[in-house]
Amino acid sequence: MPDQPAPQNVEEFHQRLRAMTDALPKRLRQCAEYLAAHADRIALSTVAELAQAAGVQPSALMRFCQIMGFSGFSEMQRLFRESYAQVWPDYATRLRNLSAQGPESSTTLLAGFIDASRISLEKLAKTAEPDRLEAAVATLGAARVVHVVGLRRAFAVAAYLDYVFDKMEVPCLLHDGLGKLDRGHALQDGDALLAVSFAPYTPETIALAERAHALGLPVVAITDTTLSPLSRIGGTILTVAEVDFGAFRSMSATMALALALAVSVGSCRREVES
């Protein structure tokens, strides 16, 4: 039987994980630490696969599920599968969602996306943390070179940051993944990394952030929640939540945050140099 009621959503799962990990026995702590770092694998992996990756026996993983409040692994996996299905439907499902809301005229779509963008911007205005933004500006402003990485949905943000940094004469290197090239070797002492990633988080972005952190370089992240894998790496975390319309997520608030950050970094560097 479960030791306590099961978490009702992924956020509660991570909160409970943080609260109990330090008090767990060694093998169960291994389970907790692995799942905290690889929560995206819970929805698609088997007990045996997760246990092997965590370096424990399947029985230990099953016991961990019970301590977390689940009747077993299947119930824990169901929580993540339902969450992923709600947040990251495929494009065919997104189009069906739009159809369910009414006629798909271009004008209707435009009005819906404008409204989603407006709400996203209003949420950012209320939730933005000035101290974190200033810390991010100070970190990037002091860097020899600012490395920027953001792939898939975040690529537009990363490319725009690279463009603005160039116009502001901030030394910058965009890690775009073109040609499957790994430019991680370009990370040098005195540099900083600006990583952009949203659920479902891009493994290449997380890997580069972990590499920069391992080298002792400061990392600034733009992401959607403090439960993001980028948050576990450390550094300065800037969160922005985009409202969706028909499960298509706006990028307006993220672009606004990116622009404010890039321009502030450019201004900071000019003040230091003058």
Side-chain angles (χ1 to χ4, degrees):
M1 294 295 293
D3 291 43
Q4 55 187 317
Q8 297 302 300
N9 52 56
V10 173
E11 183 174 355
E12 286 186 13
F13 175 89
H14 284 284
Q15 289 174 347
R16 186 169 299 176
L17 202 59
R18 287 196 297 268
M20 67 188 303
T21 296
D22 290 342
L24 292 174
K26 180 181 178 181
R27 295 305 181 192
L28 297 183
R29 188 165 66 250
Q30 280 182 238
C31 295
E33 290 173 348
Y34 179 80
L35 294 180
H38 304 91
D40 56 311
R41 300 183 184 178
I42 296 175
L44 302 175
S45 301
T46 65
V47 172
E49 290 170 340
L50 287 176
Q52 181 179 20
V56 300
Q57 292 296 318
S59 58
L61 184 61
M62 294 297 293
R63 176 56 183 154
F64 170 80
C65 294
Q66 294 175 339
I67 288 177
M68 285 290 289
F70 300 103
S71 59
F73 175 74
S74 295
E75 185 182 6
M76 182 176 75
Q77 187 174 59
R78 190 180 310 119
L79 174 70
F80 280 83
R81 285 182 172 176
E82 291 174 352
S83 175
Y84 280 23
Q86 293 169 6
V87 180
W88 310 305
D90 59 30
Y91 278 84
T93 302
R94 298 182 197 194
L95 290 174
R96 286 196 295 270
N97 290 341
L98 288 177
S99 299
Q101 297 185 32
E104 292 184 40
S105 71
S106 299
T107 303
T108 300
L109 292 176
L110 177 60
F113 289 129
I114 288 174
D115 195 45
S117 297
R118 175 186 59 79
I119 297 172
S120 296
L121 289 165
E122 290 176 351
K123 288 180 64 176
L124 177 61
K126 294 177 181 178
T127 60
E129 300 179 76
D131 291 345
R132 286 181 179 266
L133 182 57
E134 292 302 325
V137 170
T139 295
L140 300 178
R144 184 187 69 92
V145 174
V146 176
H147 296 258
V148 180
V149 60
L151 303 172
R152 300 180 188 173
R153 186 169 77 97
F155 179 73
V157 182
Y160 186 57
L161 282 163
D162 181 50
Y163 171 80
V164 178
F165 280 139
D166 180 70
K167 293 302 179 184
M168 298 293 291
E169 300 181 351
V170 175
C172 176
L173 176 61
L174 176 63
H175 295 252
D176 52 23
L178 292 178
K180 299 290 186 179
L181 295 176
D182 179 6
R183 296 179 177 172
H185 63 274
L187 294 166
Q188 302 292 327
D189 289 342
D191 295 350
L193 177 70
L194 174 53
V196 187
S197 190
F198 311 101
Y201 310 99
T202 308
E204 295 86 349
T205 299
I206 307 305
L208 187 61
E210 291 174 339
R211 185 170 181 174
H213 179 68
L215 291 171
L217 304 182
V219 176
V220 173
I222 297 177
T223 189
D224 48 7
T225 169
T226 55
L227 299 178
S228 162
L230 289 171
S231 299
R232 295 193 294 271
I233 294 171
T236 304
I237 308 299
L238 305 176
T239 59
V240 54
E242 297 281 6
V243 172
D244 71 84
F245 174 63
F248 286 88
R249 287 168 288 182
S250 164
M251 294 293 287
S252 301
T254 306
M255 285 296 194
L257 177 60
L259 179 59
L261 178 61
V263 172
S264 296
V265 170
S267 299
C268 175
R269 293 178 71 99
R270 288 183 180 182
E271 289 177 3
V272 171
E273 294 169 358
S274 63

